[in-house]
Amino acid sequence: MKPAPFAYAKARSLDHAIALLDGAPDARVLAGGQSLVPALNMRLSTPSLLVDINGLRELGEISRRNGHIEIGALVRHAQAERSSAIAQLAPLLTQAIPHIAHPAIRNRGTFGGSIALADPAAELPACLLALGAEIEVTGRTGRRSVAADEFFKGLFETALGPGDVLTAIRIAVPGSAARFGFAELARRHGDYALVGLAAAGTVHGGGLADVRLAFFGVGDRATRARQAEAALESGNLDAAVAALQHDLSPHSDVHASAATRSHLAGVLLRRVAAQLDSST
Amino acid sequence: MKRTPDVAPIVTALDRPNSYIGRSVPRPNLARLTQGRAQYVSDITLPRMAHVAFVRSPHAHARISKIETTAAKQAAGVIAVVTGAELAKVMTPWVGVLTHLKGIKSAPQHPIAVERACWQGEAVCAVVARTRALAEDACELVEVSYEELTPVTDAETALDPTTQVIHPELEDNLTFERKHEAGAPDQGFAQADAIIETTFRFGRHTGVTNEARSIVADWNPGEQRLTVYQGTQAPHMMQNLFAKHLGLEEHQVRVLTKDVGGSFGIKVHTYADEMATVALAKLLRRPIKFVADRLESFVTDIHARDHRVKAKIGVTRDGTITAFEIDDLTGIGPYSVYPRTSGIEANQVVNLVGGPYTCPNYRARARVVFQNKNVMCQYRAVGHPIATSVTEGLVELAAAQIGLDPLELRRRNLIPDDAYPATGASGIKFEALSHHACLAHIDSMMNYAGLRAEQARLRGQGVHRGIGFAAFIEVTNPSAAFYGIGGARISAQDGATVRLDATGALFCATGVTEQGQGTEAVIAQCVATAFGVPLERVRVLTGDTDNVPYGGGTWASRAAGIGGEAAWQAGKALRANVLAAAASILQADPKKLDISNGVIVDADNGRERIGLDEVARVVYFRPDTLPPGFQAEMVATRHYVPRGYPFAFTNGIQASYLEVDTDTGFIKLLKHWCVEDCGTVINPQLVDEQIRGGIVQGIGAALFEHCVYDERGQLLNGTMADYLVPMAPEMPDIEVGHVVTPTADSELGAKGAGEAGTAGASGGIMNAVNDALRPLGATPITEIPMTPDVVLRALNKI
Ligand SMILES: Cc1cc2nc3c(=O)[nH]c(=O)nc-3n(C[C@H](O)[C@H](O)[C@H](O)COP(=O)(O)OP(=O)(O)OC[C@H]3O[C@@H](n4cnc5c(N)ncnc54)[C@H](O)[C@@H]3O)c2cc1C
């Protein structure tokens, strides 16, 4: 379990990082290294060059601007977990982050790394879907913003191109009627979820509007359950649970069968719906 | 027999002036281990040392048609690329059979596959290079052409006439079969008011050691001698095997085993890649290191426990068990592992089922079959979790069927505490057990009645909790009956040599080994107590075939019971020698002297006479002052092997309390109890931690650990991310109690304690889950691990 040989370069600036990436099409960004380094050791990934972005301080900040909270790509999970700005303006994240791995991994692992990796069972991609976040990408042609709904393309596949660096995540500051819910089931504490659900909605009249249900662990990527969202907006929880049969296509693996995942998704939907309701 | 809630008593016979028996003294190696100053094999670096990495078969069964090594040989840093055929000229193959397992058969196994790979992960080529990384780089350049063969993966069909025979020369895929019948099982079942028949399934799993298997082999042509640094449980056994298969005399091989990061039975076998490393060192005439990485550990460290047991119990309305019957089938991979064989676990299942109970009617069959998966062999509590889960699973199903409390059913059937010596239905001999005392102890320790009341109350609120028990027996302190009589050169006896140094401190060399479990502490306690010095005056040496008495090492819960007794006797013998010298210096009667806290004292009143340092000074530097004709002997060696019984059986009972989330199928462990009887408790803390650690491994088996193979023989979860070891957040508090019934086979009276926890944990948890789910009309669960899939299926929710 030793990595194949690779070159290493420490980026001095974002431009430098992009230039380095540009020079080697199979280069990889090194952020917290918590996913990339094991992949290198198992030779699942054999890039010729690692571009280390850990020195880019400007990517490590959490700030509030123009009605958004902006989270830099290099913000560590642990830093986000403790952030009072995030607790206040994006409480869904504060709820979700303790489920990511273990403290030692959260100390190194980064926000951007989790989003860029797009593990189908990871918490943060689903949270971004539920929050309708914008993902800022910087590449050779400059900066662009991608909506979370457009960002996750498939199994470990995203809208990031070869020379791109994910630089920040932007989340609109929620209004007072916004409600959030989060739950996941993992065999052991800190494991990737068997099934998880990050949800958001707005209290509207007696019910919920703008419901966004983002499941993880039940497909090749974090997935919105759109029919279930509609059913929940119309106040029919049973119909929402039934709709998951159409919305989700869970897989079987060594940890759980597709039938179990499907059943658990329904259980989680009931639990999270109660959270959305009880927080009214 | 004596019952103690937490701290074990000091047994009077052993209550020497400064006794350490029964005291939780810190282990002497603690500082070394916690300060990172231990010496693991990975820490060893020798001049000219090279590293080996192996190209491993991606197929479960394939003919190797060609191995192209040219590119690899030319790669940076590569010293040699060696195939199985080339290595077969250096080392002879081995066959894992023993004569006392009648009819067991296996095929010759080579250090590196020759012609055919028989499981995914078997080494097919070795690359030796300056560093492990360079060796791995070059492994990618070795081109192996395979011709895939049909793999045999399902044990259930391995014996079908249409199934391919893995080793054609053996004629079928049957490794070993044992049948046993005792009493009158048919009559027993005929007398029963209820017969429960079910099938238990146990997931294949492995023992994940903190330190992976590792070895450094160094052949010195000048000395014609091989020195092997190896993380092993049995250095002398390995010395014999390295010598035998390299064509050397045993004295030409030295095995050194310093610190070992956990073994659990994983490190007591012959591994092809370790044998290959030794052969490569001889071939290349330079030191070679091999440290298994996690990926290769999962496909090469022995697996265990893949059993399917059809089982049946008969019980009368008044709760008398009338018969047990089992049919065990287990698939052990393509080879019976050398030299202990892979027939032992199934053999143990036959030996142990029904073991705690008086019921004399028993029929058993066990079949062990070959298949194209990684090899299976002995892992902590060999066969015990299977036998205990089957027996105790049946007992609780029977209790539920006849509407009797499960503890009460046990009370009516466990062998009475005053009925010893006794013989079990399988023929196993018990010297003295304490099932009823243990049951009474756990009943009060867990407040069973109170828990039942709480369970009922919460049930009303929709909370589903369960209580499950598992009474067990454990094989410890084995005599030659385990391996020696079957022809294996595995020592059942062990020895200790104790020496007084020139300042009055003691040095003890022991044949048993330290795997991280605290052997050094236990040996030091025995020596210090028997001889009479403070613990810190005893230094213990383990794991060096040149310098310790010949012995078996650590396995089958023998290190404390057997090694401890040898150390105790050696300490006593040296005390007598030293008192003889002191008496001649003091011109006193040696019988009237004793040694206490490092000082020669008058035996009757404890008056200090002369320090040990002074005795040592005279003996070593002024022997001229001793009376003529007196020769002091400051070294004593003693050996010990149990002779009265083939095994010192221990016993105990465990209980699990847990909650099942019936929506998700998730199981939350709330509490676990174990009351066990390992005889004299030398170090209560070490015993308790052995029990707790063992229980945690049993919890792993019950809920998490599983080597999942597909029908092509591919291991699907061979990484630490996918193979779930039990971790702290999911573990319950574990309370341990003791009943003490010393064995009369030794003066110390200590039996083993290393496997009791693992023996009973998974069965207790399975019973507790069924207890929780029974009122919901669930199908009883009889398989482990109990994943959400399994629980939800039992609840009919998926
Ligand atoms: C034992 C263990 C358990 C874990 N459990 C969980 C869990 O339960 N939930 C969970 O979500 N995660 C889990 N993780 C993963 C962890 O959260 C990682 O930190 C995270 O997935 C990746 O972040 P990183 O900063 O370490 O990225 P790295 O490992 O450095 O990189 C990961 C990938 O993203 C790319 N990348 C990283 N940053 C950028 C960027 N700014 N722009 C473009 N590409 C980039 C890299 O090139 C690489 O391909 C676990 C990890 C371990 C080791």
Side-chain angles (χ1 to χ4, degrees), chain B residues 474-796:
Chain B
E474 187 206 343
V475 172
T476 80
N477 292 7
S479 71
F482 222 145
Y483 296 112
I485 58 164
R489 292 175 71 89
I490 300 171
S491 171
Q493 64 85 55
D494 238 289
T497 294
V498 184
R499 182 179 87 216
L500 186 80
D501 81 0
T503 64
L506 297 184
F507 195 86
C508 176
T510 171
V512 294
T513 51
E514 172 69 83
Q515 317 291 312
Q517 84 277 43
T519 299
E520 288 180 21
V522 165
I523 297 296
Q525 284 177 269
C526 292
V527 170
T529 305
F531 184 85
V533 285
L535 196 64
E536 43 306 346
R537 301 288 282 169
V538 183
R539 209 159 269 285
V540 177
L541 173 80
T542 63
D544 178 353
T545 55
D546 270 7
N547 287 302
V548 304
Y550 201 88
T554 294
W555 43 273
S557 297
R558 69 185 293 282
I562 293 177
E565 177 71 7
W568 171 263
Q569 295 297 345
K572 268 178 53 177
L574 185 65
R575 170 157 54 104
N577 291 0
V578 169
L579 287 177
S584 77
I585 295 167
L586 297 170
Q587 301 193 341
D589 176 357
K591 288 195 204 67
K592 297 203 166 133
L593 297 174
D594 197 358
I595 309 174
S596 173
N597 221 11
V599 180
I600 311 290
V601 297
D602 284 333
D604 51 359
N605 59 19
R607 186 170 65 100
E608 295 195 0
R609 299 295 304 274
I610 179 175
L612 278 176
D613 52 346
E614 181 58 11
V615 177
R617 186 190 66 80
V618 174
V619 164
Y620 288 126
F621 308 118
R622 294 303 306 276
D624 55 312
T625 64
L626 292 170
F630 179 83
Q631 175 58 51
E633 292 296 347
M634 297 292 101
V635 181
T637 298
R638 287 294 180 273
H639 293 86
Y640 171 69
V641 66
R643 298 296 292 273
Y645 285 83
F647 307 98
F649 272 96
T650 70
N651 67 281
I653 184 165
Q654 296 189 24
S656 164
Y657 188 44
L658 51 76
E659 189 172 310
V660 182
D661 179 335
T662 54
D663 289 329
T664 61
F666 275 55
I667 296 163
K668 184 174 168 51
L669 303 176
L670 301 170
K671 184 98 195 213
H672 202 100
W673 298 265
C674 176
V675 175
E676 65 80 52
D677 183 348
C678 66
T680 304
V681 176
I682 299 169
N683 185 322
Q685 188 181 12
L686 287 178
V687 169
D688 287 2
E689 294 315 324
Q690 279 298 308
I691 300 295
R692 289 199 178 91
I695 287 170
V696 166
Q697 275 179 314
I699 291 171
L703 302 182
F704 302 110
E705 297 186 62
H706 196 186
C707 297
V708 183
Y709 276 88
D710 69 10
E711 67 286 352
R712 303 288 308 156
Q714 295 288 319
L715 180 63
L716 300 178
N717 61 338
T719 72
M720 291 300 282
D722 285 330
Y723 181 92
L724 308 182
V725 295
M727 306 235 297
E730 282 69 47
M731 293 304 108
D733 271 351
I734 301 169
E735 235 180 277
V736 184
H738 306 275
V739 171
V740 175
T741 312
T743 170
D745 218 325
S746 69
E747 197 169 3
L748 203 52
K751 310 178 200 173
E755 300 167 279
T758 312
S762 54
I765 293 167
M766 189 175 73
N767 285 340
V769 170
N770 285 329
D771 185 58
L773 300 187
R774 193 166 289 120
L776 301 171
T779 320
I781 294 176
T782 51
E783 72 175 284
I784 58 170
M786 292 176 282
T787 61
D789 277 350
V790 170
V791 176
L792 290 173
R793 239 185 286 124
L795 285 164
N796 227 349

Side-chain angles (χ1 to χ4, degrees), chain B residues 403-414:
Chain B
L404 192 64
D405 178 88
L407 263 196
E408 183 54 32
L409 179 62
R410 288 184 174 86
R411 242 179 237 118
R412 294 182 190 178
N413 292 280
L414 287 166

